[in-house]
Amino acid sequence: MSRLSPLSEEPISEEDNNSKYCSKKGHQKWRSWLQNHFSLLIFNKKQSDIKILLSVLGCPLFPVSLHPKQPISHVASSAHYIIQHFTAATGCRKLDGTVKNMYATGKVTMAMADDQLGSAGGAATGVPQKGCFVMWQMAPNKWLIELVVGGHKIVAGSDGDVAWRHTPWLRAHAAKGGVRPLRRALQGLDPVAVSDMFSLAQYMGEKRIMAVDCFVLKLSTDQTDLADRSDNTAEMIKHVMFGYFSQRNGLLVYLEDSYLTRIQCPGAHPTYWETTMGTKIEDYRTVEGVMIAHSGLSSAIITRFGDNLKAGPTITRMEEAWTIDDLAFNVPGLSADCFIPPQEVQRDYPDETLDWRSHLHG
């Protein structure tokens, strides 16, 4: 079994479901793949929008796995210097060896955005969906999140061996690829994980974003992991993450990731889905001596393109405002048993029949 990539489950159309190029057998397989991977069956628009929002923004995974600490090479020395600045600014190294777990609660407001303007210059066009979440995490790769938005509840987690999620429309299913951290945790909530993930990143130079001069670090999914997250219907071509660290105070102020998937129905032209997601991270406050981000704004853009799309590329935009209400370390009673996957995932895990395309990734 493998685990899946961040940000996924892009919206689908009737054109995809009824492709005239597919054979009957291939068509059935194609429809099954769409249901398992994207899960966005066409009901009324409100329900469809909620599914898209939760699938893409709810709980995507980080592009790369959290590997054991490695010696810092000369190539990564610039990134190491930037991360040293970050750890000093957040004070997170005092947590090493002392924090066994953490939990956080917060609120979210999600909405579809204007297709042309997006979050940078346009207001949300869909009905805002308000909700809340609670997240637990235990080192090294155990985490669990419950998110309720618009009357729909999704749950996702990892026991360190398999990542999974449960939605009202797909029930419980596992993810492809290696176990990876929850992206939401790296949006300033877990500075130790941020420093560990980016310490071996590639230094990309300097860039001014949101009126802040930043150092930019890049992480990329390697070809082996991309292959693990692919199958004979969908090929993940790339997945990259950029972290923007303030030159002035050293804090992580923006995360941006992008991934590209090639999907092909037997006998048809391939279709490409590119998902990009940017998160503004702000309102750092001290929690038990460590600087933790308490609010932010995420914006996602899904672009579908290919030779078989007569109308040209289609673009779907959405955004989420989030705030943290409470965060604590070393929660009493939290054990590894709290992260055991649902029975359906445990039963199907050896068969490698279910997957999860969203960090929910993707």
Side-chain angles (χ1 to χ4, degrees):
M1 169 60 111
S2 46
R3 283 157 264 304
L4 188 59
S5 95
L7 321 172
S8 93
E9 306 199 352
E10 295 88 342
I12 62 175
S13 65
E14 290 298 329
E15 177 184 355
D16 292 317
N17 282 338
N18 298 294
S19 175
K20 62 183 178 181
Y21 299 104
C22 298
S23 65
K24 182 175 182 181
K25 182 177 179 181
H27 180 60
Q28 291 173 345
K29 182 177 180 182
W30 176 237
R31 288 175 64 92
S32 175
W33 188 92
L34 284 173
Q35 180 175 349
N36 288 336
H37 288 68
F38 299 118
S39 71
L40 299 178
L41 303 178
I42 305 301
F43 293 106
N44 61 64
K45 187 177 188 304
K46 177 180 177 182
Q47 295 299 314
S48 179
D49 283 354
I50 291 177
K51 289 184 179 183
I52 297 171
L53 291 168
L54 289 176
S55 296
V56 177
L57 297 173
C59 38
L61 302 182
F62 207 70
V64 298
S65 301
L66 180 60
H67 297 290
K69 290 183 173 61
Q70 303 175 26
I72 303 300
S73 66
H74 175 71
V75 175
S77 60
S78 295
H80 183 55
Y81 171 81
I82 295 168
I83 293 304
Q84 282 185 321
H85 192 190
F86 172 79
T87 57
T90 58
C92 66
R93 279 309 168 202
K94 65 182 67 175
L95 301 179
D96 275 355
T98 64
V99 172
K100 301 185 183 304
N101 62 61
M102 64 170 284
Y103 103 103
T105 62
K107 296 184 179 67
V108 298
T109 301
M110 300 179 178
M112 305 303 291
D114 187 282
D115 285 349
Q116 301 301 321
L117 298 177
S119 64
T125 57
V127 177
Q129 302 291 335
K130 296 182 181 297
C132 58
F133 69 89
V134 58
M135 182 183 74
W136 297 268
Q137 184 170 289
M138 178 179 289
N141 281 313
K142 298 179 176 67
W143 50 264
L144 181 69
I145 182 171
E146 296 182 4
L147 175 67
V148 179
V149 176
H152 290 71
K153 177 181 178 179
I154 60 173
V155 184
S158 168
D159 65 352
D161 295 317
V162 58
W164 56 272
R165 74 168 176 178
H166 180 283
T167 69
W169 52 91
L170 276 185
R171 312 303 294 174
H173 49 292
K176 284 179 172 284
V179 171
R180 302 187 305 285
L182 186 66
R183 187 188 192 276
R184 193 175 292 274
L186 281 93
Q187 293 172 183
L189 303 187
D190 186 353
V192 173
V194 171
S195 62
D196 289 343
M197 298 299 293
F198 280 100
S199 61
L200 297 178
Q202 178 183 1
Y203 174 62
M204 301 301 294
E206 304 176 11
K207 184 175 181 179
R208 187 172 179 84
I209 186 167
M210 302 178 304
V212 178
D213 293 322
C214 297
F215 295 117
V216 184
L217 300 182
K218 176 184 178 181
L219 289 168
S220 302
T221 304
D222 62 32
Q223 291 301 314
T224 300
D225 286 343
L226 290 174
D228 288 342
R229 300 177 206 174
S230 303
D231 54 35
N232 58 2
T233 311
E235 176 191 4
M236 180 159 288
I237 297 175
K238 71 168 185 177
H239 194 172
V240 297
M241 170 72 76
F242 296 92
Y244 295 78
F245 296 81
S246 169
Q247 296 182 19
R248 181 178 61 85
N249 58 27
L251 298 175
L252 176 66
V253 297
Y254 195 76
L255 272 181
E256 181 180 32
D257 68 315
S258 173
Y259 77 93
L260 178 64
T261 305
R262 179 183 185 272
I263 303 171
Q264 186 162 16
C265 173
H269 293 290
T271 300
Y272 296 87
W273 296 80
E274 184 171 32
T275 304
T276 59
M277 184 173 179
T279 300
K280 179 182 180 181
I281 302 169
E282 54 190 358
D283 192 16
Y284 277 87
R285 305 180 199 171
T286 302
V287 177
E288 300 184 29
V290 180
M291 295 291 284
I292 303 292
H294 278 68
S295 70
L297 177 67
S298 295
S299 176
I301 302 174
I302 301 171
T303 305
R304 185 169 65 110
F305 58 96
D307 293 339
N308 58 324
L309 301 179
K310 298 179 180 179
T314 60
I315 298 175
T316 304
R317 300 176 187 263
M318 62 206 74
E319 57 186 29
E320 173 198 277
W322 54 270
T323 58
I324 299 300
D325 295 327
D326 192 20
L327 187 144
F329 302 108
N330 293 328
V331 180
L334 190 65
S335 68
D337 291 342
C338 301
F339 304 92
I340 297 176
Q343 289 186 351
E344 307 95 296
V345 175
Q346 298 180 57
R347 181 179 65 249
D348 291 311
Y349 177 78
D351 297 331
E352 301 189 14
T353 56
L354 293 177
D355 55 32
W356 164 28
R357 198 157 297 276
S358 177
H359 164 130
L360 213 216
H361 163 131

